[in-house]
Amino acid sequence: MTQQLDPASVKGFLSPAEGQMLASYAGEGRGIGALVEIGAWCGRSALYIAHDFAGTGQLLFSVDHHRGSEENQPEWEWFDPEVWDRQAGAIDTLPHFRRNIRQAGLESNVIAMVGDAAGIGLTWRTPLGFLFLDGNHTMTTALADYQAWAGHVVKGGFLAIHDVFPDPADGGRPPFEVCQRAEKSGLFAGVGEVDSLVVLQRL
Ligand code: MG
């Protein structure tokens, strides 16, 4: 790691082992096409993926509406009052994201795209070498993100999915089902997994 800010020190849900695996496949994928992550939160995954990007001109496009998922809302399990914007009456992780990306010296490399990921994916036209799906985990949104973005991953490129829990007792099923759908499509094959991260390669 060349940056000053340890990704594990910022708010987030990715384990160090998952972060390192993401960085490794993003490093391979950057020779193939553009890099995109869906679900930014406060920037932890972006810091892992872009850890060696400073001064290189390499970009990571980081897509998030920055309003949090269901489980992050007030009264829910993963609510964090530090990301609550009282004036907006809503979660706003964008200030945290910007601060962390700036402190890591990656403002030129990590490009925030603020809005609905599926909508942005439908108008995206650049081939991808690496796609990380870690957005909202309802079946509707997880599937919409997959359908809008996975088709942009080109041959040899990578599709990484977070929060894949084969056993429903461990967590919600939509990311697992999206993962199964990708493999059953015949277009992707598993190449790596650690903790709840699965990485597939476009055949
Ligand atoms: Mg996640």
Side-chain angles (χ1 to χ4, degrees), residues 21-175:
M21 182 172 280
L22 279 183
S24 169
Y25 283 106
E28 283 192 54
R30 69 207 251 188
I32 298 167
L35 314 183
V36 167
E37 70 165 5
I38 308 299
W41 195 240
C42 297
R44 182 186 287 188
S45 54
L47 296 188
Y48 277 115
I49 292 168
H51 71 96
D52 61 349
F53 287 8
T56 66
Q58 176 67 50
L59 302 181
L60 166 67
F61 296 94
S62 180
V63 185
D64 199 314
H65 48 55
H66 286 279
R67 295 301 189 194
S69 297
E70 278 76 0
E71 69 273 19
N72 308 123
Q73 302 303 321
E75 318 280 315
W76 286 67
E77 185 180 3
W78 297 103
F79 177 62
D80 179 348
E82 287 180 13
V83 299
W84 185 253
D85 177 344
R86 280 198 302 164
Q87 195 176 38
I91 283 172
D92 188 3
T93 49
L94 186 56
H96 299 261
F97 179 88
R98 289 205 80 177
R99 185 175 63 236
N100 293 331
I101 297 304
R102 178 179 58 76
Q103 287 182 346
L106 292 170
E107 281 195 313
S108 302
N109 305 93
V110 178
I111 311 303
M113 299 202 294
V114 183
D116 172 65
I120 295 169
L122 292 173
T123 58
W124 183 266
R125 292 292 177 267
T126 305
L128 300 183
F130 176 85
L131 171 64
F132 178 38
L133 292 180
D134 191 23
N136 180 296
H137 294 339
T138 62
M139 195 63 214
T140 305
T141 307
L143 195 55
D145 288 348
Y146 170 77
Q147 288 173 331
W149 285 96
H152 295 299
V153 180
V154 293
K155 195 171 184 308
F158 299 96
L159 168 63
I161 305 174
H162 194 227
D163 301 306
V164 176
F165 299 110
D167 182 347
D170 296 330
R173 294 279 284 187

